[in-house]
Amino acid sequence: MPVHSIAQWTLLLATALVASTLAGVTGFGGAAVLLPVLVAVFGPREAVPILTVAQLIGNGSRVWFNRRELDWGVIKWFALGGVPTAFIGGMLFATAPLSALTRLIGAFLLLMVVWRHIRSGPVWKPPQKSFAAIGAGFSFLSALVGSVGPIMAPLFLAYGLVKGAYIGTEALATVIMHVTKLVAYRETAILPGSDILTGLALGPIMVLGSFVGKKIIERLPERVFILIIEIVMTTAGLLFLIRG
């Protein structure tokens, strides 16, 4: 579905800025904020590939801004498990029923909110090699629903990554997922040039948001961002479940 009006573009760009700023501060939540607007404008089949392009740019900028603090061991093991399953998930996405896909996205958004409230905190520190399994599971899921950051993030934090090391390492792991997913989406012809251009158009705003997030990461209470994320995810999740 093409974007027909200036109002729609304004909404998309404003949401992309908020989403990328949130992700720049918390390390997650950007996809969950942007995804509902993309689904509303384009539908779920196009929304996830467009989100992947935009998130690739946003995450790439967070990698650059935190490049001196990356944990390359975690990234290596994550990629080892994540690349093949991200490709498989991306291939399956092309044939997933639209109604079921919309409800799956809705249920997943709600699950992310619930997970953040029921977990009692990290009681297990994942060993570095376990990120191969973590990468495999979350990369497959990401290819189908578009957003796994809020559930994946606690594992990176439990490993001991903090601030720039956490933001940058998680972002590079996500970049690896997105590149693999895009290859699969192109192979199954569900990522036309128009969708790539839409994602690229959101790219500069995603970079700006990442930059702003980097600047305010130690100045604004994280709970404010978390609250906004959870309100948006809950509302969107319920709407997607009801409407299908």
Side-chain angles (χ1 to χ4, degrees), residues 157-232:
L157 294 170
Y159 178 74
L161 299 174
V162 295
K163 293 189 176 180
Y166 157 63
I167 297 291
T169 301
E170 192 274 344
L172 185 50
T174 303
V175 164
I176 293 168
M177 284 195 306
H178 288 338
V179 169
T180 308
K181 287 157 52 181
L182 287 174
V183 172
Y185 294 155
R186 286 293 286 177
E187 286 292 320
T188 54
I190 61 169
L191 183 63
S194 59
D195 286 356
I196 294 176
L197 290 176
T198 300
L200 291 176
L202 297 175
I205 299 298
M206 302 295 285
V207 174
L208 175 61
S210 295
F211 177 77
V212 173
K214 176 67 174 177
K215 290 297 182 181
I216 66 177
I217 191 170
E218 296 180 352
R219 299 182 182 180
L220 198 63
E222 184 176 320
R223 63 181 180 275
V224 176
F225 288 93
I226 301 300
L227 178 62
I228 295 172
I229 292 170
E230 291 185 347
I231 291 174
V232 173

Side-chain angles (χ1 to χ4, degrees), residues 23-210:
V25 173
T26 66
F28 65 88
V33 171
L34 184 56
L35 181 59
V37 177
L38 289 173
V39 171
V41 175
F42 296 100
R45 186 79 73 195
E46 291 184 76
V48 171
I50 291 173
L51 175 69
T52 301
V53 175
Q55 284 288 96
L56 176 60
I57 298 171
N59 279 282
S61 64
R62 290 198 292 279
V63 172
W64 175 255
F65 293 140
N66 298 280
R67 61 191 180 278
R68 295 182 178 88
E69 303 174 72
L70 301 176
D71 188 315
W72 289 102
V74 168
I75 293 165
K76 177 188 70 175
W77 286 104
F78 188 97
L80 184 64
V83 168
T85 58
F87 186 81
I88 294 171
M91 299 293 285
L92 292 176
F93 176 81
T95 57
L98 283 177
S99 179
L101 186 61
T102 302
R103 289 191 171 92
L104 179 61
I105 292 172
F108 198 74
L109 291 173
L110 293 176
L111 177 62
M112 287 189 289
V113 175
V114 172
W115 169 255
R116 286 191 52 79
H117 286 276
I118 65 173
R119 65 186 178 91
S120 58
V123 295
W124 169 68
K125 180 179 178 179
Q128 194 175 86
K129 290 183 179 181
S130 71
F131 278 88
I134 292 170
F138 285 110
S139 295
F140 180 78
L141 195 56
S142 175
L144 293 176
V145 302
S147 173
V148 296
I151 294 181
M152 189 170 71
L155 297 173
F156 284 81
L157 294 170
Y159 178 74
L161 299 174
V162 295
K163 293 189 176 180
Y166 157 63
I167 297 291
T169 301
E170 192 274 344
L172 185 50
T174 303
V175 164
I176 293 168
M177 284 195 306
H178 288 338
V179 169
T180 308
K181 287 157 52 181
L182 287 174
V183 172
Y185 294 155
R186 286 293 286 177
E187 286 292 320
T188 54
I190 61 169
L191 183 63
S194 59
D195 286 356
I196 294 176
L197 290 176
T198 300
L200 291 176
L202 297 175
I205 299 298
M206 302 295 285
V207 174
L208 175 61
S210 295

